[in-house]
Amino acid sequence: MSATIIDGKAFAANLRARIAGGVSDFRAKAGRAPGLAVVLVGEDPASAVYVRSKGKATREAGMQSIEHRLPADVAPDVLLALVADLNADPGIDGILVQLPLPPHIDAQAVIAAIDPDKDVDGFHPINAGRLATGLPGFVPCTPLGCVMLLKSIHSHLAGLEAVVVGRSNIVGKPMAQLLLAESCTVTIVHSRTRDAFAHVRQADIVVAAVGIPGMITGDWIKPGATVIDVGINRTEAGLVGDVDFASASQVAGAITPVPGGVGPMTIACLLRNTLVSAGRRENVAIDLDALDAPKDSAAC
Ligand code: NDP
């Protein structure tokens, strides 16, 4: 059997087109564009690439992109003061501080300083709490994108056995919360799990967010399962996921490739969250059902 390939690139392109439509409607009603501020501290090349592509995508969607670059040795107070300014700026709807931050800066303190209602990354403890308690807030972009891809394959997620491999605050934990909110039966596997293979093997849905290239091979996968590979690992063979695509795609029912699966969804969901924030702040209705269009198919 060969799996259906979940085309995240195409799904994200469609989502971005719908967002651009929503942005143009917002601009007409609010008299301004949604504004996303991105803060980059230091010269980390991967972070610089991410910030550049976020800025480009933001502008392409018709939003205003504001970039702040600070030196790697910036004093934490200077960064916190910038965050306070952005919190107070009425033209800014979303604030993103690119992670990782240099070791002398307490990343949790910076995240906590962002206004939760501008926290379009969804990393603020208040947004984590809102997600856990089912209140509206901002959901981290990568897991949000994963759920959209899952819904393009499964019309109903309720009752499915879902296993999330990884428990980070930015992917694994919010992913598990989102799947729980969809009434999946959720298991989280992490580095101290006794028999990760046994858990993954019984899953209808596997979400891998570990950071170990090709850790999950085809023999781990229950035949017909849907596999979402969040991993982005740079190896000599190029960019690979946490799932061994060659073997897993022989067993899975549907699977995301790396690259071209989850990755493109992350930026698209950042734009989506920024538009949603702008709508909330200016009291302009955003049609979330039309925006998220769970009926779109990403299968190919
Ligand atoms: P972290 O390093 O923060 O977390 C990794 C998680 O994997 C930890 O919870 C860790 O467990 C767990 N883990 C480590 N080894 C094992 C093991 N042998 N068995 C089971 N679990 C294990 O990574 P992130 O969550 O930030 O990222 C995960 C991957 O996703 C990375 O490849 C990253 O590049 C990618 N990523 C991709 C994004 C995208 O846009 N597509 C966005 C964000 C991340 P423990 O907690 O016990 O240490």
Side-chain angles (χ1 to χ4, degrees):
M1 183 173 65
S2 205
T4 296
I5 309 302
I6 304 172
D7 187 349
K9 202 172 164 193
F11 192 99
N14 287 338
L15 175 57
R16 281 166 61 169
R18 292 193 298 276
I19 292 165
V23 167
S24 117
D25 185 49
F26 173 87
R27 288 172 75 133
K29 289 178 178 148
R32 68 170 180 89
L36 173 64
V38 178
V39 181
L40 175 63
V41 181
E43 311 283 335
D44 177 60
S47 294
V49 170
Y50 288 138
V51 165
R52 241 193 332 273
S53 24
K54 284 168 187 170
K56 184 167 171 275
T58 306
R59 288 186 294 277
E60 281 171 5
M63 303 190 197
Q64 198 193 359
S65 165
I66 303 99
E67 283 177 31
H68 290 272
R69 286 164 191 271
L70 299 175
D73 61 355
V74 68
D77 284 355
V78 173
L79 175 57
L80 290 170
L82 172 60
V83 169
D85 285 349
L86 295 171
N87 284 342
D89 186 335
I92 300 291
D93 302 292
I95 302 170
L96 180 158
V97 178
Q98 184 66 44
L99 301 177
L101 289 169
H104 72 284
I105 297 178
D106 177 355
Q108 286 304 332
V110 175
I111 291 168
I114 297 172
D115 178 348
D117 295 330
K118 294 189 177 187
D119 168 42
V120 286
D121 250 346
F123 295 163
H124 194 290
I126 287 190
N127 282 317
R130 286 169 172 163
L131 174 60
T133 50
L135 294 171
F138 290 112
V139 174
C141 303
T142 300
L144 181 59
C146 292
V147 169
M148 288 184 189
L149 294 181
L150 281 169
K151 285 184 171 176
S152 74
I153 296 293
H154 297 270
S155 49
H156 298 288
L157 294 172
L160 296 180
E161 298 281 339
V163 171
V164 180
V165 189
R167 56 172 166 179
S168 70
N169 287 341
I170 64 171
V171 189
K173 281 182 202 157
M175 187 71 232
Q177 289 289 359
L178 283 170
L179 290 166
L180 191 58
E182 295 292 341
S183 299
C184 290
T185 303
V186 183
T187 302
I188 305 177
V189 166
H190 48 78
S191 70
R192 309 291 295 273
T193 298
R194 250 185 268 143
D195 189 351
F197 173 90
H199 289 288
V200 173
R201 179 74 193 164
Q202 47 81 40
D204 303 309
I205 291 170
V206 180
V207 180
V210 193
I212 300 178
M215 178 183 131
I216 295 170
T217 45
D219 53 329
W220 289 52
I221 306 296
K222 176 166 130 182
T226 299
V227 179
I228 304 288
D229 189 354
V230 180
I232 299 181
N233 306 291
R234 285 173 181 81
T235 68
E236 282 177 3
L239 219 56
V240 301
D242 293 338
V243 176
D244 176 53
F245 185 84
S247 58
S249 60
Q250 296 305 308
V251 187
I255 186 167
T256 57
V258 176
V262 174
M265 292 300 291
T266 299
I267 289 188
C269 287
L270 174 68
L271 304 177
R272 178 236 184 240
N273 282 355
T274 304
L275 174 60
V276 169
S277 175
R280 285 181 190 152
R281 299 185 63 253
E282 296 285 357
N283 218 8
V284 171
I286 307 289
D287 184 349
L288 284 183
D289 288 337
L291 195 63
D292 295 344
K295 285 180 283 304
D296 267 22
S297 176
C300 66

